[in-house]
Amino acid sequence: MTEDLTKRITQFLEIDTNYAVIISGDYGIGKTFYFKNKLFPLVRNINVPNSENEEKYRPILISLFGIKSVEEIQKQIFLELFPLLKNKGVKIASDIGKSLLKVFSGVDIEQYVNDADTSTSDIINYNKLLLCFDDIDRKSDDLQIKELFGFINNLVENSNTKVIIIANEDVLRKEESNNEDDTYSVIREKVIGISIKFNTDVVSIYDQMINSKYKDSLPVYFNYLKDYNQSIIARIEQNNKNIRNLVFFLEHYKIIFNSLDEYLKTDDNLNPFRKEIFELILNFTLPISIEYKMGSLKPKYFKNIKDLHIGGLFDLSAFLSDGPSMKIKSKEEKVETYQEIYKRKYLDDTAQRKKVFFESIFNYITGSSSFSIDKLIEELKSIFVIEDNKVPKREKVLNTLSYWQCIDLNTNEYRKLTNEMLKFVDTGEYKLDQYPTVFHYATRFNNLLNYNLENLKKRFKRGIKKGNFEYKPSLHFHLHISANTEFYEDLKEVAEYCIQINKEIKVKSEKEEVENLFELFQNDFKEFLEKVNESNTELRYKPIFSKFNFNKFWSTLKKAKNTELIEFGFDMARRYTKYVYPDLNPEKYFLEQLKEKLESEIGKSRTTKMNKIAFEFLVSKINESINNFE
């Protein structure tokens, strides 16, 4: 895609011109990468027209990001030239040197300025440079576009300099059109001779990037990136072909890959799942990296994204009454939430059937913690069910019956393994989110083994009832069954039963959790506050206070020290920020009750002055918090 662009630029360099060229395109799509890695090596071999001794062009890339004046631009040009000049003893032509002397006050550059003894071959002039000005649309407001283009016009007309401007011209034009004096079009017409739209060749950039960065230094990582180039490139192209996203992902994923690759060499239980492990991790890490680098994945969305990823093979949300509505919105309805956008972009792909959440990777990518291979291994052992340093027999059976490994089994082997699998169902040994998969394996291929489906469903329910499960958040989000799945209604019934059991576990576990938290509140107020309001934990987003017996809570709170009440006020402000998490809405009534009690205490004559100060402070923080609820 960039071959034609390269040809047009080389032709521009081979002829006499008095205008600049602008290369326009969106931010982050690889314009700068193209210039540094593809164009500049070619430019260095192009002869300057009408030059003596077939002199070559010297390309220089100058970023105008935050630049406030033409003098600063001249300084940047000199800084690019200075190391070469100093090393080779080359003199600067007077037309360059004199203009820069004003900029470099206190710097001894007189020895580099042209003198009578300097031969023509030792002189570097502007007409031997290719000046590429990058980030022109990110310059400081102090540098007016008229002044900048005037400087560029002087270069191209009076110094015969070749100038290329790299910018997002749509943004540049929009910014200038906001001014009363809309001069962009007039100035552009005088200075710019050619405008070229930059089309990113992600495939070419990807190949060049991994070859230069990893081929020699990290050959295993390089080969992996080659094998999965299509998946990675597709995600980058899906997100406006932003090459900065690619760089961010490759460098962060390198740490994960190398650590895991080394570990798997020593683990005979996980190593057989190597291919599936790396596919799961890639499918998770790539979207998280892209969304975080783009600035779309903000802390307030962290829990939403975690909820989307947690789950098993199927997703029943489109069919269950208690699942979230996924109807298509009309133009009049509100726009998609970030959670809905993320799901549509990354999780609705039917090819990516298994969705998992890696806390260790998520925290690393989002900057919450350094990467821990030990934590990742713990997560993998949970996903692939490694118990007592070995894969349990039930998982080996399930893996053998998975697609499409089972297709090589003869009928007797298939029946034997399926019967073994069902014995594990009878004792409730599979995880709750595995049972829809197990039921499907037993009945697929048009009920190959001729099970009575009504009896089989009853058998599954009896076995599930015996299981010892932990509550799985948002299970209903992630049990998906396509309507054309074999024995859809029967499979759906099994999945709904799993959801029912999951809800019962939730009720029981939440009751125990509330009791334990209230006990902690009574015995260690400080530790309670730290636990409830710790960032990026589920308690931070759970309406814990609304579940407490308020009268018992108030009786305990009244006994707290004033310093603890002050700390409680600060914690309330942190918990109920400007945009209160929706799940915390039930706590608004709790806050209103607490405010009423505090104001009552403040009004009592027997309340000490110090207590009143603490109560009034807490009331002020509660008022701020209440105002943040919708």
Side-chain angles (χ1 to χ4, degrees):
M1 294 180 184
T2 57
E3 284 75 10
D4 184 63
L5 173 61
T6 303
K7 187 174 181 179
R8 294 182 72 176
I9 293 176
T10 55
Q11 289 174 346
F12 165 68
L13 296 176
E14 291 169 351
I15 61 175
D16 290 328
T17 58
N18 61 349
Y19 57 82
V21 172
I22 187 166
I23 309 297
S24 179
D26 292 334
Y27 295 128
I29 62 172
K31 300 187 297 291
T32 306
F33 181 88
Y34 161 76
F35 274 81
K36 285 183 175 180
N37 296 277
K38 188 166 185 177
L39 181 65
F40 282 4
L42 297 175
V43 168
R44 294 186 183 98
N45 293 316
I46 297 176
N47 293 334
V48 177
N50 305 317
S51 65
E52 298 181 11
N53 301 323
E54 296 186 340
E55 291 181 272
K56 312 295 183 184
Y57 277 106
R58 178 160 299 282
I60 295 177
L61 184 67
I62 304 294
S63 174
L64 301 183
F65 190 96
I67 291 291
K68 298 179 179 179
S69 66
V70 168
E71 285 73 21
E72 286 189 24
I73 300 174
Q74 291 175 313
K75 180 177 179 179
Q76 293 299 318
I77 296 171
F78 180 78
L79 288 174
E80 290 293 329
L81 290 170
F82 184 82
L84 172 76
L85 302 175
K86 188 170 183 178
N87 291 337
K88 296 191 175 182
V90 180
K91 307 295 183 178
I92 303 178
S94 58
D95 61 338
I96 299 179
K98 290 177 181 177
S99 66
L100 292 173
L101 282 173
K102 294 184 294 183
V103 182
F104 286 86
S105 56
V107 180
D108 181 17
I109 63 170
E110 286 287 351
Q111 59 177 312
Y112 299 105
V113 179
N114 183 42
D115 57 38
D117 297 329
T118 305
S119 66
T120 306
S121 61
D122 290 329
I123 298 175
I124 296 180
N125 285 312
Y126 270 134
N127 65 350
K128 297 181 179 62
L129 301 177
L130 169 61
L131 292 179
C132 298
F133 294 114
D134 198 1
D135 301 315
I136 189 173
D137 38 350
R138 295 181 175 182
K139 64 177 180 56
S140 168
D141 292 337
D142 294 337
L143 178 58
Q144 298 298 312
I145 193 71
K146 184 185 294 186
E147 184 181 5
L148 174 60
F149 272 40
F151 172 66
I152 294 174
N153 187 61
N154 182 59
L155 289 174
V156 298
E157 285 199 347
N158 300 326
S159 300
N160 298 319
T161 312
K162 298 293 186 182
V163 175
I164 296 178
I165 300 169
I166 311 168
N168 186 331
E169 195 172 18
D170 292 337
V171 174
L172 194 62
R173 183 180 289 106
K174 182 179 179 181
E175 289 176 353
E176 288 302 313
S177 68
N178 292 332
N179 301 329
E180 291 183 9
D181 182 18
D182 184 9
T183 57
Y184 179 74
S185 297
V186 177
I187 297 173
R188 182 192 180 286
E189 185 177 356
K190 179 175 175 60
V191 179
I192 307 299
I194 300 174
S195 177
I196 305 173
K197 186 72 175 177
F198 185 86
N199 294 312
T200 306
D201 184 354
V202 179
V203 175
S204 176
I205 291 176
Y206 181 86
D207 289 341
Q208 188 170 353
M209 193 176 290
I210 67 171
N211 271 279
S212 61
K213 281 178 171 286
Y214 312 118
K215 185 175 183 179
D216 295 327
S217 59
L218 297 169
V220 178
Y221 185 48
F222 169 76
N223 289 329
Y224 172 85
L225 295 175
K226 278 184 62 180
D227 291 341
Y228 288 89
N229 63 340
Q230 291 184 357
S231 299
I232 298 170
I233 290 169
R235 287 298 186 206
I236 299 301
E237 291 181 334
Q238 179 189 21
N239 289 278
N240 300 321
K241 301 182 178 181
N242 193 306
I243 302 304
R244 291 171 188 164
N245 294 340
L246 176 61
V247 174
F248 181 84
F249 164 74
L250 290 176
E251 285 299 292
H252 283 77
Y253 195 63
K254 174 179 68 177
I255 302 298
I256 300 169
F257 179 89
N258 290 337
S259 300
L260 184 56
D261 177 60
E262 284 300 312
Y263 176 85
L264 291 179
K265 294 175 183 176
T266 65
D267 192 317
D268 293 336
N269 292 312
L270 280 177
N271 196 48
F273 302 104
R274 176 187 174 89
K275 186 175 185 294
E276 186 177 355
I277 286 172
F278 275 115
E279 286 179 353
L280 285 175
I281 290 177
L282 176 65
N283 288 334
F284 174 78
T285 308
L286 187 51
I288 296 298
S289 299
I290 291 172
E291 292 295 308
Y292 187 72
K293 182 65 176 69
M294 290 194 302
S296 302
L297 179 53
K298 299 178 175 63
K300 64 181 179 180
Y301 299 133
F302 284 3
K303 184 177 184 298
N304 302 71
I305 300 308
K306 180 176 181 178
D307 287 345
L308 281 176
H309 276 277
I310 293 174
L313 179 65
F314 299 107
D315 186 345
L316 277 173
S317 60
F319 309 103
L320 300 178
S321 58
D322 65 339
S325 174
M326 299 305 292
K327 65 179 180 179
I328 300 173
K329 294 177 174 58
S330 68
K331 292 182 179 179
E332 290 74 29
E333 292 182 85
K334 67 176 183 178
V335 296
E336 289 179 298
T337 64
Y338 178 70
Q339 189 177 13
E340 290 168 334
I341 294 171
Y342 185 96
K343 183 176 185 296
R344 171 173 51 77
K345 285 174 67 176
Y346 304 114
L347 300 181
D348 282 345
D349 180 4
T350 55
Q352 185 190 327
R353 296 187 65 90
K354 193 167 186 179
K355 303 172 183 68
V356 295
F357 184 86
F358 294 101
E359 189 95 38
S360 59
I361 294 176
F362 186 86
N363 290 342
Y364 166 58
I365 297 297
T366 58
S368 301
S369 67
S370 59
F371 175 66
S372 170
I373 185 62
D374 292 334
K375 291 181 179 178
L376 177 59
I377 296 306
E378 288 179 14
E379 293 172 311
L380 289 172
K381 286 184 176 180
S382 173
I383 294 168
F384 291 93
V385 195
I386 307 297
E387 298 173 359
D388 298 325
N389 292 319
K390 63 182 180 180
V391 179
K393 178 131 182 230
R394 68 180 186 275
E395 297 299 325
K396 291 181 178 178
V397 170
L398 199 61
N399 186 56
T400 306
L401 288 171
S402 65
Y403 289 96
W404 284 94
Q405 286 188 218
C406 66
I407 210 69
D408 286 330
L409 300 171
N410 61 44
T411 303
N412 289 333
E413 290 172 330
Y414 188 80
R415 184 184 300 276
K416 180 182 177 182
L417 284 168
T418 302
N419 285 333
E420 283 189 53
M421 178 181 71
L422 292 178
K423 288 179 182 178
F424 290 119
V425 170
D426 293 336
T427 52
E429 294 189 47
Y430 284 111
K431 291 189 292 185
L432 194 56
D433 60 345
Q434 288 181 304
Y435 284 100
T437 305
V438 174
F439 186 87
H440 177 62
Y441 284 1
T443 59
R444 64 187 166 186
F445 308 139
N446 197 28
N447 196 9
L448 179 66
L449 301 179
N450 295 316
Y451 287 109
N452 181 302
L453 295 185
E454 289 301 318
N455 291 337
L456 187 63
K457 286 187 291 184
K458 292 177 182 178
R459 182 177 180 180
F460 264 74
K461 291 177 183 180
R462 286 195 300 270
I464 293 170
K465 198 70 176 177
K466 295 178 183 178
N468 183 20
F469 311 113
E470 292 184 1
Y471 171 65
K472 199 169 187 63
S474 303
L475 181 66
H476 61 279
F477 273 103
H478 308 288
L479 295 173
H480 173 64
I481 303 171
S482 172
N484 59 10
T485 303
E486 290 179 286
F487 308 108
Y488 164 74
E489 292 295 338
D490 301 293
L491 182 54
K492 178 184 172 185
E493 184 178 335
V494 172
E496 286 178 327
Y497 188 76
C498 292
I499 291 171
Q500 177 187 329
I501 295 296
N502 195 50
K503 287 180 178 179
E504 293 173 3
I505 296 168
K506 180 183 180 183
V507 171
K508 181 180 178 181
S509 64
E510 283 186 346
K511 182 180 178 182
E512 293 174 352
E513 182 180 49
V514 169
E515 291 173 352
N516 292 334
L517 282 172
F518 193 80
E519 184 178 348
L520 181 62
F521 165 66
Q522 291 177 311
N523 298 326
D524 193 330
F525 189 62
K526 183 177 180 180
E527 185 179 342
F528 167 78
L529 292 180
E530 289 177 355
K531 187 177 183 67
V532 170
N533 291 303
E534 185 179 352
S535 299
N536 300 329
T537 62
E538 289 188 3
L539 289 178
R540 173 68 179 80
Y541 307 99
K542 281 186 176 182
I544 297 300
F545 293 105
S546 67
K547 299 181 186 300
F548 287 164
N549 180 298
F550 181 79
N551 291 328
K552 290 182 179 180
F553 177 88
W554 172 245
S555 297
T556 303
L557 188 69
K558 281 199 303 183
K559 301 173 186 176
K561 298 176 182 178
N562 287 334
T563 51
E564 292 176 329
L565 294 177
I566 298 296
E567 184 59 36
F568 185 48
F570 282 120
D571 275 354
M572 291 298 97
R574 284 190 287 268
R575 184 174 181 85
Y576 311 107
T577 55
K578 185 175 181 181
Y579 302 102
V580 178
Y581 187 71
D583 284 3
L584 295 180
N585 284 336
E587 292 188 343
K588 183 179 180 182
Y589 179 64
F590 160 82
L591 292 174
E592 291 170 342
Q593 285 181 292
L594 184 56
K595 176 187 173 183
E596 184 180 339
K597 285 286 188 182
L598 288 167
E599 288 176 338
S600 175
E601 289 296 315
I602 292 170
K604 293 178 181 178
S605 58
R606 68 173 181 268
T607 304
T608 66
K609 291 182 179 180
M610 287 299 183
N611 284 349
K612 283 185 178 181
I613 293 172
F615 290 161
E616 287 171 351
F617 174 82
L618 186 50
V619 167
S620 70
K621 292 300 179 184
I622 289 174
N623 281 329
E624 290 176 14
S625 298
I626 290 174
N627 290 334
N628 286 332
F629 284 85
E630 293 183 356

